[in-house]
Amino acid sequence: MQGWDKVEALTADAYAFGLGETRGLVADYIPILAETDPELFGVCVAEVDGSIHSAGDAAVEFSIQSISKAFVYALVCEELGHDLVKEHVGVNNTGLAFNSVMAIELNYGHPMNPMVNAGALATTALVPGGSPAEQWELIRQGLSRFAGHPLELDGEVYRSEMATNQRNMAIARLLESYRRIEIDPLKVVDVYTKQCALRVSARDIAVMGATLADGGVNPITGEQVVSAAVCRDTLSVLAANGMYERSGEWLFEIGLPGKSGVAGGIVTISPGKAGIGVFSPRLDSAGNSVRGQAATSFLSRSLGLNIFASDVSPTRLEP
Ligand code: DON
């Protein structure tokens, strides 16, 4: 594949390119995140054949935050099927911030989008299990299978968010009032907050992305984590919604499905080829890592990954 012989060097170049970007602010609405070193920066490309290319702080752990939404969505689709989840949670962009309450009201209580907090809470509520503890275990094990090793809860991040997430509690209560959450909404918030506090590295999210890139097969363990059909559905939802209200800009510049998290991670998927994981805590106003976007954009362009670009054949059939 053109450019792939240089992927190791291009990963280092993407890191160097991203380092030049110093704009953005570290998230502080979850108090513990404000203590993160703003200079941390890691880039990792995990190919579907299991090759790994890393630069910078690619092994440093951070909380997965909203990136978890993509993988919990995939697990729930695997369990419950495409149609039920589509009807219950939706697949459309709200065009509003990830924690918008107005989006729920504007849509008569339908969450619309599984990649914003309302839709993610509605999705987590659908996770099978007789109790919140069972749901949490299913999520932790499922995301660990995507990563290829056991993921651990960051207790400090979990407690810090639980002490300050009144807004998510309000969103969950509102969804309950519209019957979009049919179990105890505050317990759903608790499980959701735990899923967001799982510790991952840029390398981990690259491997998780590569699993979605390869029809659900983890490139390190060889395990089929979810079906190819679920990967296809998840990637289309990410393309439309993965970067919140900036999803259009992201698709325009980078041309790949991706998902960001407020701790500074971004996972990007190049279908059939690779997962890209980046981590840098300084965010733009939509909550997307600034250096992460720069490095991913560099890789998409230099490796020719934009899914909307097609090579024009020199010959064509005459009518
Ligand atoms: O629910 C929240 O607000 C966080 N646990 C996750 C939000 C998030 O990651 C938004 N991302 N850019």
Side-chain angles (χ1 to χ4, degrees), residues 29-30 65-66 69 98 117 161 168 192 196 244 260-262 287:
Y29 78 97
I30 299 172
Q65 297 297 343
S66 282
K69 292 168 179 165
F98 66 87
N117 290 10
E161 184 162 3
N168 281 344
Y192 163 83
C196 289
Y244 308 113
S260 64
V262 80

Side-chain angles (χ1 to χ4, degrees), residues 59-259:
V60 170
E61 291 190 329
F62 54 94
S63 52
I64 188 168
Q65 297 297 343
S66 282
I67 298 169
S68 67
K69 292 168 179 165
F71 297 94
V72 173
Y73 178 75
L75 292 173
V76 170
C77 285
E78 181 78 9
E79 295 287 339
L80 302 181
H82 171 116
D83 291 337
L84 187 147
V85 186
K86 182 180 167 204
E87 192 288 313
H88 196 78
V89 185
V91 293
N92 282 322
N93 201 306
T94 62
L96 293 165
F98 66 87
N99 58 0
S100 176
V101 174
M102 193 165 67
I104 306 170
E105 288 296 325
L106 285 173
N107 293 292
Y108 310 101
H110 196 291
M112 301 296 286
N113 170 354
M115 297 301 138
V116 295
N117 290 10
L121 286 161
T123 305
T124 294
L126 294 176
V127 171
S131 67
E134 277 178 37
Q135 289 182 306
W136 160 236
E137 206 37 42
L138 203 140
I139 290 172
R140 200 186 63 74
Q141 283 177 14
L143 267 57
S144 299
R145 289 163 70 214
F146 273 109
H149 72 96
L151 299 180
E152 302 297 336
L153 178 74
D154 187 323
E156 245 185 340
V157 171
Y158 163 67
R159 286 188 293 276
S160 180
E161 184 162 3
M162 280 307 289
T164 51
N165 64 355
Q166 291 77 12
R167 193 177 179 90
N168 281 344
M169 294 185 195
I171 289 173
R173 279 276 186 223
L174 189 57
L175 291 172
E176 179 192 31
S177 79
Y178 283 111
R179 299 185 187 278
R180 291 284 160 184
I181 288 185
E182 300 194 274
I183 55 177
D184 183 337
L186 298 187
K187 291 192 173 139
V188 174
V189 174
D190 188 74
V191 174
Y192 163 83
T193 307
K194 283 192 179 122
Q195 85 184 40
C196 289
L198 280 169
R199 298 173 67 88
V200 287
S201 63
R203 182 190 189 281
D204 287 332
I205 57 174
V207 170
M208 295 170 86
T211 303
L212 289 179
D214 198 23
V217 178
N218 182 303
I220 305 298
T221 63
E223 186 185 0
Q224 181 89 46
V225 181
V226 290
S227 70
V230 162
C231 292
R232 181 201 59 211
D233 293 348
T234 304
L235 295 184
S236 64
V237 166
L238 292 187
N241 306 307
M243 311 302 280
Y244 308 113
E245 64 274 34
R246 300 269 163 80
S247 297
E249 272 169 74
W250 167 270
L251 213 50
F252 188 74
E253 296 294 344
I254 291 168
L256 292 168
K259 182 77 204 83

Side-chain angles (χ1 to χ4, degrees), residues 294-319:
T296 308
S297 166
F298 183 96
L299 285 167
S300 173
R301 279 182 278 119
S302 59
L303 290 166
L305 303 180
N306 189 317
I307 55 175
F308 301 106
S310 49
D311 287 327
V312 179
S313 166
T315 57
R316 65 186 179 91
L317 294 174
E318 295 303 327

